[in-house]
């Protein structure tokens, strides 16, 4: 039989495509050319705004001298790039699984220290998405200034599109995102070469920063103190450090490479770092030549001004300008895609170590970590909205996370070399230790000089997130320890000799019938249906319907629940039944499931709450029997449209020949035993605990339970009566309901004692209903047929 697919899955297939089977996971590996396009955009595209962010700090203080100082600071940044590249060549060679500095820290410093790297990288990935997309929008509005007021909307829309592309699968995302990497590299190489040649020929125009309305203020550079100079240079270097973001992308995505992963990852890493160095140096050199100046609004960007100066304002220059701006926007937008590859992989590793929710370890419809992609997109959009979507506002969040990862990767590899002492380990130790030390210095510089500009948020949030991850891990470990401790106790032969199944009944419907059918298949020693009385008229109607429509092999017990605390009443009943230590109890809870939206609004989750309470009782297990109501509702609507009768529809939906026809009249029950006669003196009641095994008896107590049982095919109403000394059962054969005989009612019974199923029982006794509150005589004897509606 073909199983119909839910509408949500059909919609997923439309938007994401056909599902990929797990066997195709190996096919989703990337060749080097495609890996460079997928993993390098974040790193390479940072050249589009790194120089500009350095000038933002330098120009207001040093004036035109900033265009010379930017070359020196760029040289320092590139020297750090070379050192970090050498360090990460060791990382990708030794650790060929995704995770980068997280895996390095975990293997060399332990899982707790590794959470520092995890938080650093996770923050870096989120900020990368925000910065790259915001910078891409700057490239767009630099070409089309009329779009400036809509910058934030454009940026958020791009994040949504990137998430969608990655949800379709890494191979399709790679094909889509690899081309801009090569286009941008080629376009900017042309700009740098042409600009350098024109500069050497003295044909390259330059800007006058003081004459550009809306540009950042240009200082005079006079009267500077040593403290201001040092602080400004450090702030500029910190901003320039954003050019190195994305360098760790190769190590975080090394498992995406084809075998041999380590060798291929090293090759791509070197190519990526060399490309970045060329572009950063070229952009800074052109800024030095053209005096391209940052603007307060963020656009036009420095790189767009360089392109305009290099190619001119003629028709050909305008076309080339538009082309460069287009590929710049594409590389910046796709640079954010690096995070959509790295974040889910890293989150899956951290979750696999039980420091993040384990839902992040599951691959989705297209063999990608869908939950991680969605989380990244949502958090990045929130950050964009909070910050206003400007690059300058986002950069202070940036480098702390990036360089914290560099620090742990460098020190981790240094410890690895000290521990393993492989051939040539001493030079490698020096490289990794130096990279870790310099990265730590950058973190401290950035935290100090950028503290008031937003870095304080990262400084405060960082330890909170690390603590949260460690606390989550402790919760997972405590749960696993509890399950492991109980395993030896439960993994032994059962000591119980009697298995009882309780079916909790709220209504006699398809959900209850399915639970009863399931209960019959358990082959238990006893099956009992239980209804807790909260609404007395409703309970009476249920009992009457049970006696007329139910098969008859399972009786319905009515138990009083005056305080309406179903959980407590359930636990008390089950605890009493399993109190002998030899009874194992299975409680079946019919749960009706409705539409996912309206169902949660219109219906509660009582079965789930009861299952939680019942599972805490020793020797008791709760089983939820779900029943999807939406299917019968749909089929019933179809039947009504086709003119089918209600009774025929019921028969077809139930599809159980043992269920009586609901339209059949109820059989007339025979009269029960002789009731008390008017005028006859009442004998003295005997405490139930002092009754003999046989003979006549009179008892007075409260009804605590009512059920319908079957005796040789004849229905009988069994009432449990309790006083302070004990409990006795009264059976009224041929009855399914006695008016007033309900839980909580005081009653006096007179009849002959016998034993039925090991219980002390009064067979067809005479009875008198007493006051519910006082136990006194109501003054009305029950001398008529107790099933007579006139009584």
């Amino acid at each position: 039989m073909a199983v119909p697919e839910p509408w949500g899955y059909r919609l997923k297939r439309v938007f994401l495509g056909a599902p990929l089977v797990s066997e195709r996971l190996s096919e989703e590996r990337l060749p080097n050319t495609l890996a460079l396009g997928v993993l390098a955009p974040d790193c390479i595209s940072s050249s589009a705004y790194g120089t500009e962010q350095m000038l933002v700090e330098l120009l207001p203080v040093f004036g035109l001298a900033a265009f010379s100082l930017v070359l020196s600071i760029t040289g320092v940044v590139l020297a750090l790039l070379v050192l970090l590249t050498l360090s990460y060549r060791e990382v990708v060679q030794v650790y060929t699984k995704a995770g980068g500095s997280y895996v390095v820290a975990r293997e060399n410093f332990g899982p707790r220290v590794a959470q520092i790297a995890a938080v650093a990288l996770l923050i870096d990935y989120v900020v990368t998405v925000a910065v790259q997309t915001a910078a891409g929008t700057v490239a767009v509005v630099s070409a089309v200034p009329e779009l400036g007021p809509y910058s934030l909307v454009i940026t958020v829309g791009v994040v949504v599109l990137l998430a969608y592309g990655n949800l379709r699968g890494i191979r399709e995302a790679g094909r889509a995102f690899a081309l801009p990497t090569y286009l941008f590299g080629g376009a900017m190489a042309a700009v740098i070469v042409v600009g350098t040649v024109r500069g050497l020929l003295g044909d390259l125009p330059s800007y006058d920063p003081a004459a550009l309305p809306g540009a950042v203020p240009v200082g005079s550079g006079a009267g500077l103190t040593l403290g201001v100079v040092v602080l400004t240079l450090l702030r500029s270097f910190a901003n320039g450090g954003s050019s190195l973001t994305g360098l760790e992308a190769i190590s975080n995505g090394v498992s995406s490479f084809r075998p041999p992963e380590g060798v291929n990852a090293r090759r791509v890493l070197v190519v990526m770092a060399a490309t970045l160095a060329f572009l950063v140096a070229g952009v800074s050199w052109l800024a030095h030549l053209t005096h391209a100046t940052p603007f307060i609004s963020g656009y036009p960007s420095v790189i767009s001004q360089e392109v305009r100066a290099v190619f001119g304002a003629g028709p050909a220059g305008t076309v080339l300008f538009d082309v460069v701006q287009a590929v710049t926007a594409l590389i910046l937008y796709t640079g954010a895609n690096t995070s959509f590859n790295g974040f889910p992989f890293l989150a899956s590793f951290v979750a696999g170590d039980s420091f993040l929710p384990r839902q992040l370890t599951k691959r989705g419809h297209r063999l990608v970590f869908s939950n991680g992609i969605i989380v990244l997109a949502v958090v990045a959009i929130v950050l964009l909205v909070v910050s206003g979507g400007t690059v300058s506002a986002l950069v202070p969040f940036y480098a702390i996370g990036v360089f914290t990862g560099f620090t742990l990767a460098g020190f981790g590899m240094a410890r690895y070399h000290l521990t393993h002492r492989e051939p040539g380990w001493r030079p490698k130790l020096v490289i990794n230790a130096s990279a870790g030390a310099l990265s730590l210095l950058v973190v401290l510089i950035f935290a100090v000089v950028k503290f008031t500009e937003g870095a304080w948020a990262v400084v405060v949030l960082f330890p909170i997130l690390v603590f949260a991850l460690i606390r989550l891990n402790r919760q997972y470990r405590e749960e696993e320890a509890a399950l492991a401790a109980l395993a030896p106790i439960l993994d032994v032969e059962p000591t119980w000799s009697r298995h009882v199944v309780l079916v909790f009944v709220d209504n006699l419907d398809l959900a209850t019938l399915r639970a009863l059918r399931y209960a019959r298949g358990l082959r238990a020693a006893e099956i009992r249906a239980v209804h807790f009385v909260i609404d007395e008229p409703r309970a009476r109607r249920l009992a009457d319907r049970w006696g007329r429509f139910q098969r008859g092999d399972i009786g319905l017990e009515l138990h009083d629940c005056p305080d309406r605390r179903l959980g407590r009443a359930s636990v008390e009943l089950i605890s009493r039944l399993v109190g002998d230590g030899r009874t194992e109890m299975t409680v079946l809870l019919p749960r009706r499931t409705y539409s996912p939206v309206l169902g949660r609004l219109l219906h509660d989750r009582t079965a789930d709450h009861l299952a939680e309470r019942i599972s805490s009782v020793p020797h008791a297990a709760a089983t939820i029997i779900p029943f999807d109501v939406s299917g019968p509702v749909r089929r019933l609507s179809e039947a009504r449209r086709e003119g089918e009768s209600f009774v025929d529809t019921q028969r077809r939906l139930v599809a159980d020949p043992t269920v009586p026809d609901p339209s059949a009249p109820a059989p007339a029950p025979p009269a029960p035993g002789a009731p008390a006669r008017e005028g006859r003196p009442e004998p003295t009641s005997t405490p139930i605990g002092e009754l003999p095994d046989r003979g006549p008896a009179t008892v007075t107590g409260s009804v605590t339970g009512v059920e319908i049982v079957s005796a040789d095919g004849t229905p009988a109403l069994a009432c449990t009566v309790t006083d302070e000394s004990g409990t006795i059962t009264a059976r009224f054969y041929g009855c399914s309901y006695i008016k007033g005989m309900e839980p909580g009612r005081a009653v006096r019974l007179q009849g002959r004692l016998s034993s039925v199923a090991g219980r002390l029982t009064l067979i067809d006794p005479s009875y008198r209903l007493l006051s519910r509150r006082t136990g006194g005589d109501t003054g009305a004897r029950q001398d008529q047929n107790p099933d007579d509606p006139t009584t």
Side-chain angles (χ1 to χ4, degrees), residues 224-232:
L224 297 177
T225 64
L226 179 62
V228 173
V229 171
V230 172
L231 180 62
T232 303

Side-chain angles (χ1 to χ4, degrees), residues 353-370:
D353 292 337
S354 300
F355 285 92
L356 279 175
R358 289 175 180 163
Q359 292 89 332
L360 295 173
T361 63
K362 297 179 181 179
R363 292 185 181 270
H365 187 75
R366 300 284 292 180
L367 290 181
V368 295
F369 298 104
S370 304

Side-chain angles (χ1 to χ4, degrees), residues 214-239:
V216 298
V218 179
S220 62
L224 297 177
T225 64
L226 179 62
V228 173
V229 171
V230 172
L231 180 62
T232 303
L233 291 176
L234 289 177
R235 290 163 68 94
S236 179
F237 170 72
N239 277 11

Side-chain angles (χ1 to χ4, degrees), residues 340-383:
F340 282 101
N341 284 285
F343 182 96
F345 273 108
L346 175 64
S348 71
F349 271 94
V350 180
D353 292 337
S354 300
F355 285 92
L356 279 175
R358 289 175 180 163
Q359 292 89 332
L360 295 173
T361 63
K362 297 179 181 179
R363 292 185 181 270
H365 187 75
R366 300 284 292 180
L367 290 181
V368 295
F369 298 104
S370 304
N371 292 331
I373 292 173
I374 294 172
V375 169
L376 174 61
V378 171
V379 178
I381 289 174
V382 171
L383 180 60

Side-chain angles (χ1 to χ4, degrees), residues 178-538:
L179 184 59
T181 303
Y182 293 101
L183 291 177
F184 176 77
M188 286 307 302
V191 171
I192 293 170
V193 171
V194 173
T196 301
V197 171
R198 291 190 64 182
L200 293 176
L201 296 176
D203 188 34
L204 184 66
S206 62
Y207 298 95
D208 180 5
L212 296 176
V216 298
V218 179
S220 62
L224 297 177
T225 64
L226 179 62
V228 173
V229 171
V230 172
L231 180 62
T232 303
L233 291 176
L234 289 177
R235 290 163 68 94
S236 179
F237 170 72
N239 277 11
S242 62
S243 298
L244 303 183
T245 58
L247 187 65
E248 77 288 349
I250 300 297
S251 65
N252 291 329
V254 66
S255 62
S256 299
F257 286 84
R258 290 177 177 175
E261 292 87 347
V263 174
N264 288 326
R266 293 183 80 174
R267 292 172 180 169
V268 174
L269 176 64
V270 172
V271 173
M272 181 182 72
T275 304
L276 174 65
F278 172 74
L279 294 178
V280 171
V283 172
S284 294
W285 172 247
L286 290 180
H288 169 71
L289 295 178
T290 64
H291 288 185
T293 306
F295 277 70
I296 296 175
S297 63
Y299 63 91
S301 63
V302 165
I303 195 172
S304 70
Q305 296 173 59
E306 293 175 356
V307 175
R308 179 68 75 183
V310 169
F311 292 133
T318 300
V319 172
L320 292 175
F321 172 82
D322 292 338
V323 170
V324 174
Q325 288 305 107
V327 297
T328 301
L330 285 176
I331 186 65
L332 286 165
Y333 285 147
T334 56
N337 182 65
T338 306
S339 292
F340 282 101
N341 284 285
F343 182 96
F345 273 108
L346 175 64
S348 71
F349 271 94
V350 180
D353 292 337
S354 300
F355 285 92
L356 279 175
R358 289 175 180 163
Q359 292 89 332
L360 295 173
T361 63
K362 297 179 181 179
R363 292 185 181 270
H365 187 75
R366 300 284 292 180
L367 290 181
V368 295
F369 298 104
S370 304
N371 292 331
I373 292 173
I374 294 172
V375 169
L376 174 61
V378 171
V379 178
I381 289 174
V382 171
L383 180 60
L384 282 168
V385 172
V386 171
S387 65
T390 60
V391 177
S392 297
L394 290 167
V395 164
F397 296 99
Y398 213 175
I400 290 182
V402 176
F403 281 91
T404 300
F406 292 164
T407 301
L408 290 174
F411 287 145
M413 289 306 301
R415 181 164 185 173
Y416 173 86
H417 297 313
L418 283 173
T419 303
H420 294 82
R421 298 179 184 270
E422 73 281 9
W425 65 274
R426 286 186 175 87
K428 297 176 182 177
L429 172 63
V430 173
I431 291 173
N432 291 123
S434 300
L438 287 179
S439 298
L440 178 60
L441 179 61
V442 173
V443 171
L444 297 176
I445 291 172
F446 206 97
V448 173
V449 302
K450 290 291 183 178
F451 187 83
T452 58
E453 296 181 22
W456 66 268
V458 179
V459 173
V460 172
L461 187 63
F462 211 101
I464 295 176
L465 291 178
V466 171
F467 172 79
L469 266 59
I470 294 175
R471 179 63 183 85
L472 180 62
N473 175 258
R474 188 178 77 181
Q475 180 68 26
Y476 273 129
R477 287 187 289 107
E478 289 176 351
E479 292 172 354
E480 292 173 356
L483 294 173
L486 293 175
I489 300 174
L490 298 178
D491 191 25
V492 296
E493 292 298 324
T495 58
W496 45 268
S497 58
R498 186 166 174 264
H499 181 207
V500 176
V501 174
L502 293 186
V503 181
F504 280 13
V505 176
D506 179 62
N507 194 10
L508 183 56
D509 54 15
L510 287 174
T512 301
L513 292 175
R514 173 167 291 186
L516 292 173
R517 183 183 302 174
Y518 181 79
R520 294 184 182 101
L522 295 179
R523 301 185 183 279
E526 185 179 0
I527 302 175
R528 301 167 66 176
V530 174
H531 174 76
F532 291 100
V533 179
I534 296 178
D535 184 344
E536 294 179 12
R538 184 171 181 271

Side-chain angles (χ1 to χ4, degrees), residues 86-258:
L86 294 174
S87 177
Y88 268 92
R89 288 180 80 249
E90 300 303 317
V91 173
V92 300
Q93 182 66 34
V94 175
Y95 298 100
T96 57
K97 291 185 177 181
S101 58
Y102 173 76
V103 175
V104 176
R106 183 187 64 185
E107 298 299 323
N108 293 282
F109 299 120
R112 287 180 175 267
V113 175
Q115 301 321 302
I116 300 176
V119 170
L121 290 174
L122 293 175
I123 291 176
D124 173 39
Y125 283 132
V126 172
V127 181
T128 293
V129 173
V131 171
Q132 295 289 115
T133 52
T137 302
V138 169
V140 172
V141 299
S142 295
V144 188
E146 293 79 7
L147 296 178
Y150 309 102
S151 296
L152 182 58
V153 176
I154 295 173
T155 304
V156 171
V158 170
V159 174
V160 173
L161 288 177
L162 290 174
Y164 170 71
N166 280 272
L167 287 172
R168 290 192 62 90
I170 186 172
R171 180 179 292 274
E172 294 190 31
R175 290 195 183 100
F177 299 147
L179 184 59
T181 303
Y182 293 101
L183 291 177
F184 176 77
M188 286 307 302
V191 171
I192 293 170
V193 171
V194 173
T196 301
V197 171
R198 291 190 64 182
L200 293 176
L201 296 176
D203 188 34
L204 184 66
S206 62
Y207 298 95
D208 180 5
L212 296 176
V216 298
V218 179
S220 62
L224 297 177
T225 64
L226 179 62
V228 173
V229 171
V230 172
L231 180 62
T232 303
L233 291 176
L234 289 177
R235 290 163 68 94
S236 179
F237 170 72
N239 277 11
S242 62
S243 298
L244 303 183
T245 58
L247 187 65
E248 77 288 349
I250 300 297
S251 65
N252 291 329
V254 66
S255 62
S256 299
F257 286 84
R258 290 177 177 175

